[in-house]
Amino acid sequence: MTPNFTRRTAIATGIAALAMPGLLRAETVNRRNASAFVKRDWRDHFDSLGEGCLMADIDSRAVHYWGPDGETYALYPSSVPMTEELTRRGYTEIVRKRVGPDWTPTQSMRERDPTLPAYMPPGPDNPLGTHAMYLSWPAYLVHGTHDTRKIGRQSSSGCIGLYNRHIEELFGMAQVGTQVLLL
């Protein structure tokens, strides 16, 4: 390569960055996550669709949902547990759903952060957001969040969090009995 070609390429890249800063930044910042936001096949992870299938890919911070009709598919960015010790992986299912969930932090959460309240009613300060789907594992949920900074990050005490608008959409599609895989 000639020095002129390299310089022209650098200038063109700089101009593109000025014209489309979000596009260039998204390309460089999210490169390691790009494969997560590709449609997946439920057959790679589940034996049947049953009442539907939901897969939370913890490493890529993406939630995939396949409806029982075989046609419905949705993909959402998510928050994931802060540490591997807080992460539970494997198969479970949705056992209960609630609009306007209340929240009672677990004993271990309160030990890690003594400033947490013993109980929090539904509302804008509640970390479970507007909707929650409870899993067969105690204290593990797929829920919304009012704190949008958490999505795409390791920020939970074990749950999978979604933007409130996404959990509302998913809540409307996923039924009690939906199979769940935390991978």
Side-chain angles (χ1 to χ4, degrees):
M1 262 190 257
T2 67
N4 273 346
F5 178 79
T6 305
R7 186 169 184 270
R8 281 195 308 259
T9 303
I11 290 170
T13 301
I15 291 170
L18 292 172
M20 301 176 290
L23 180 61
L24 190 58
R25 186 178 63 242
E27 218 174 86
T28 57
V29 172
N30 294 327
R31 184 169 291 168
R32 79 170 184 87
N33 244 4
S35 66
F37 293 93
V38 172
K39 185 174 181 177
R40 305 262 177 122
D41 189 329
W42 64 269
R43 291 172 198 86
D44 294 338
H45 307 284
F46 299 93
D47 293 332
S48 70
L49 279 171
E51 297 294 323
C53 303
L54 188 149
M55 182 181 73
D57 186 335
I58 293 168
D59 292 333
S60 65
R61 302 171 191 161
V63 170
H64 300 261
Y65 172 77
W66 299 270
D69 61 5
E71 299 294 320
T72 303
Y73 176 79
L75 176 60
Y76 305 102
S78 70
S79 65
V80 298
M82 289 182 275
T83 65
E84 195 59 38
E85 298 85 51
L86 296 172
T87 303
R88 183 153 184 188
R89 296 177 192 266
Y91 289 90
T92 182
E93 67 180 290
I94 297 172
V95 295
R96 183 168 60 104
K97 296 170 35 173
R98 185 153 184 209
V99 175
D102 57 355
W103 179 56
T104 304
T106 64
Q107 182 179 350
S108 62
M109 286 178 192
R110 295 196 66 210
E111 287 169 2
R112 281 193 311 276
D113 183 355
T115 66
L116 290 176
Y119 169 80
M120 186 172 288
D125 294 327
N126 187 309
L128 300 184
T130 60
H131 295 70
M133 298 187 295
Y134 298 77
L135 305 179
S136 63
W137 301 329
Y140 284 87
L141 294 79
V142 178
H143 62 79
T145 182
H146 297 294
D147 187 352
T148 58
R149 298 169 298 171
K150 292 185 172 190
I151 303 303
R153 299 176 185 256
Q154 292 178 289
S155 58
S156 82
S157 291
C159 295
I160 302 298
L162 300 173
Y163 290 115
N164 280 329
R165 69 181 184 275
H166 290 161
I167 191 64
E168 183 177 355
E169 181 179 296
L170 182 58
F171 188 96
M173 294 186 290
Q175 305 168 35
V176 169
T178 295
Q179 306 166 80
V180 177
L181 170 60
L182 273 67
L183 176 68

